[in-house]
Structure formats: structure tokens, C-alpha cells
Amino acid sequence: MMSLLEIAKAMDVTSLSTSLKSITWLVPLVQSVHILMVGVVFVSILMISLRVLGRVRMDEPLSRTWRRFAPSLWGGVAVMVVSGVLLVFSEPVRELMTLSFRLKMVLLVICVVSAVVFGRRMRGAASVTAVELPLSAAMRAAAVVTLVLWIAIIFLGRAIAYDDSVWGSWSPAILQRGGSL
Amino acid sequence: MNTPPSFIHAMETSAIGEWMRSNLLAMPLVNAAHVLCITLVFGTILVVDMRLLGLFDRSRSVMKTSDEMLHLTWGAFIGAAVTGVMFFTANATTYWFNTAFRFKMLVIVLAGVNMAIFQFITYRSVVNWDRNSPSPRAAKVAAALSILIWFSVVVLGRLIGFTKGYDVEVPASIDFDFGTP
């Protein structure tokens, strides 16, 4: 079986990777699109969470807030993932060989799965018009946890560039350079 | 290189500048907080812009949509400014002479001008188009400009990193130094 480092090195020599690297302005542009899409996704999640917590959009039912922000959430996730994949291909070793990137991917999967589950519940609710779901303490707690996870995702995303400063000897980037900071 | 104004030198040699340069975690944390604030600024402004363009929330009150976002946007903007200044002090001279940085500051001023024109002229008649009617052309133009401006701010911000090389390694082939001294 290939190690993650071998996979990264194989990605590094793909034509996608070499073309991304050959156009100088492309990487900062894709990074910018990625950051803006993180903004779209994060604020969509923020609005839904704040509605669950009763802080915004109390003039409309939760299912309606969900319907307003679900398209920007999923559209944002799609562009975010595509631009993210391009960024990984532009520097596969630098991305994959960091603890920050790996943790970020784990948290991202948890957040996306939980949004899918939440969306299913909302679709069920939308069919019963005018019936508002009771917002349980568990749901409010889930809203807070979701926000904390997304903030962690954003911090980890930026920490990829500083992996060894942030994680010290836990960073795989250090091992790769022979164990020196 | 030219000599920067004395306040730039004072900022660079300040205790904050020294702390930013010497503490291993200062850069990654301040950097991540800066990105988090920028995603919030862009995302919350986009919610209002989308309402003005009539693409989302068409039947919802413009005033309500805008008032809800106001605190979040300003809070995030202040956060971005504070973390931005902390960043700046770490390498003030380099930033001062960086063309991408100067353009970024200029474009942020343009964002303010666009917002002021909207707020003090166009928005005065908001009661006439608050709900269930399309926004006037001036409001739509302001919304479109706002999206374009904030996109540019993020692109220029990313270019600073690429031209300076403090948070990413600049490959030798890349020359983003648009003729700065």
C-alpha cells in the first residue's frame, strides 16, 4: 500500500499539478475563491445556527431560514471543495503532510454529514406547513458545536502553512524534514 | 529601499511587533483570526447584497435583513482591522512598500465610499422598496460593486502573502513585485 507521502509525491507530478504550478497568478486566485466560499458556507451555517438559538430571523419559521441558506450552503460547499482540491494538487506534499490539513478534513466530513442530516429533518418539517419544530436544548447545543467546529476548520486551514509552529513534534512536516524545527 | 515614515519604524520596533515576530504561535493565530473575520465580513455583506439584488429573501424586509447583519459585519470588520494591524507591525516596512498592500488599502477605502453613498443617499428611500418590490437600480449597482470590491480585497490580501513571502514560499519563477522599490 502507498503511504500518504507517496500519494502526495505521485499527485505532485500529475499534469493537473504541473499546470497549476505553471500559471503564476492561478494559485492566489484559487485561494481567494476558496476563502470567499468558506465565507459563504460559514455565514450560511452561522445564520441557521443563530436562528436555532433564537438570535436572528425570528419573524420566519426555522424551515424557511433553512430553505434560504441551504442553496448558498451547498453551492458554497461545492465550489469550496473544488477549489480546495485544486489547491491540494498545487502543493500536494505541503498540504497532505500536515496535521492541520488532516484534522481539517476529519472536521469537515463531520460538519457536512451533520448538515445533510439536519437538512433531511428540515425537508420533513417543510412538508408539514406552519408547524414549527420545537427547538430542543439538544438542537441548540448542536448549533453551538457546529459553529465551534467551523471556526476550528477555518483556523486549521490557515494553520496548514504553519504546521510545525502550531503542532511542534506532532507535525508530520517535521519528520519529513528529518525532525528539525 | 527607501526609508519609511518614522511611524512605520515605530510600529515595527514596538512591543507588539516584537511579540508577533518572536512568538511561534502569534503569526498563525493572528493570521487565522484575520481570515475568520474576513470570511464573516464578506459572508454577512453578501447576505444583504443578495437581498438588494433580489436573488434571495425577495419578500423579506431589506431593513430587517440589513439591521440583523450590521453588528456582525462591523464586529468582524473591527476584528479584521485589529488583527491586520498586528500583522502589519510584525513587518511594517515591507508592507508599507508592498504594492499589493497599498492597493488593498485603497480598495477598502472604495468599499467605504460605496457603502457611504448607499447608506446616505440610496437607503434614505428604503421604506418605498423595503418589501415586495424590486430595489432601485442604485441599490443593485451598490450591491454588485460591493461583491466585486470585497472579492478584490481578498485577492489583494492573498497577493501580499505571495509577494512578501512571509507566510508562503514564493517560487523563484513568481514575480508579483509590481515594480516596488
Side-chain angles (χ1 to χ4, degrees):
Chain A
M1 215 179 98
M2 279 175 103
S3 74
L4 208 50
L5 181 59
E6 284 165 336
I7 292 171
K9 282 182 174 164
M11 286 167 78
D12 202 45
V13 292
T14 55
S15 58
L16 176 59
S17 184
T18 41
S19 16
L20 282 165
K21 278 174 272 199
S22 66
I23 309 167
T24 51
W25 47 266
L26 204 56
V27 170
L29 188 70
V30 177
Q31 283 178 342
S32 304
V33 170
H34 191 69
I35 292 169
L36 293 171
M37 284 309 123
V38 173
V40 171
V41 172
F42 181 53
V43 168
S44 303
I45 293 283
L46 180 68
M47 289 300 113
I48 296 160
S49 301
L50 288 178
R51 174 61 186 81
V52 169
L53 296 169
R55 304 301 293 271
V56 294
R57 292 183 172 251
M58 291 307 281
D59 57 325
E60 63 183 25
L62 172 60
S63 54
R64 188 164 190 172
T65 308
W66 168 258
R67 282 204 302 278
R68 157 63 183 89
F69 287 101
S72 51
L73 171 62
W74 297 127
V77 166
V79 181
M80 186 183 85
V81 168
V82 170
S83 54
V85 168
L86 289 178
L87 290 175
V88 172
F89 267 95
S90 75
E91 285 177 309
V93 177
R94 186 172 166 271
E95 300 271 340
L96 295 182
M97 299 314 286
T98 61
L99 183 59
S100 307
F101 177 81
R102 296 174 190 177
L103 285 175
K104 179 182 171 181
M105 289 305 110
V106 173
L107 296 190
L108 183 66
V109 169
I110 294 172
C111 283
V112 169
V113 169
S114 80
V116 170
V117 172
F118 184 79
R120 289 235 167 111
R121 275 190 72 180
M122 284 298 112
R123 258 200 299 283
S127 62
V128 193
T129 43
V131 175
E132 180 68 309
L133 282 179
L135 301 180
S136 59
M139 215 159 153
R140 290 200 299 273
V144 174
V145 171
T146 305
L147 285 179
V148 171
L149 287 182
W150 274 104
I151 291 169
I153 287 174
I154 293 172
F155 268 73
L156 288 169
R158 202 58 278 236
I160 293 170
Y162 304 95
D163 205 61
D164 44 10
S165 313
V166 175
W167 300 108
S169 59
W170 288 3
S171 170
I174 287 189
L175 291 176
Q176 217 209 305
R177 281 203 299 273
S180 63
L181 243 172
Chain B
M1 189 182 256
N2 300 336
T3 329
S6 57
F7 76 93
I8 296 295
H9 181 73
M11 283 176 92
E12 189 154 340
T13 49
S14 69
I16 297 174
E18 185 52 40
W19 180 77
M20 286 292 293
R21 286 187 298 269
S22 56
N23 191 315
L24 213 54
L25 284 176
M27 265 308 184
L29 286 178
V30 172
N31 199 328
H34 193 62
V35 172
L36 175 71
C37 289
I38 287 167
T39 61
L40 270 172
V41 169
F42 177 73
T44 53
I45 287 178
L46 192 65
V47 170
V48 179
D49 289 342
M50 286 294 156
R51 171 63 189 86
L52 293 174
L53 290 168
L55 294 171
F56 283 98
D57 285 324
R58 214 167 314 173
S59 58
R60 197 164 187 265
S61 158
V62 171
M63 283 192 272
K64 200 169 239 173
T65 307
S66 154
D67 288 351
E68 258 171 14
M69 290 298 132
L70 208 63
H71 292 105
L72 278 170
T73 307
W74 277 112
F77 183 80
I78 290 167
V82 169
T83 49
V85 169
M86 289 172 81
F87 245 126
F88 185 85
T89 55
N91 297 293
T93 309
T94 318
Y95 284 116
W96 180 258
F97 288 115
N98 183 283
T99 311
F101 174 82
R102 290 180 170 188
F103 271 111
K104 183 179 175 182
M105 293 306 113
L106 176 71
V107 177
I108 291 174
V109 171
L110 290 181
V113 172
N114 182 47
M115 197 181 65
I117 292 172
F118 174 75
Q119 194 66 40
F120 297 117
I121 301 172
T122 316
Y123 199 70
R124 282 218 302 245
S125 63
V126 66
V127 282
N128 301 327
W129 41 274
D130 188 40
R131 223 185 257 272
N132 298 319
S133 77
S135 322
R137 175 164 301 191
K140 288 184 177 175
V141 170
L145 276 177
S146 146
I147 295 171
L148 186 70
I149 286 172
W150 288 108
F151 177 76
S152 313
V153 169
V154 172
V155 172
L156 289 166
R158 270 304 42 220
L159 284 182
I160 298 170
F162 272 77
T163 47
K164 281 186 357 49
Y166 284 117
D167 72 341
V168 281
E169 267 173 57
V170 184
S173 61
I174 293 187
D175 180 18
F176 277 121
D177 202 12
F178 325 108
T180 25

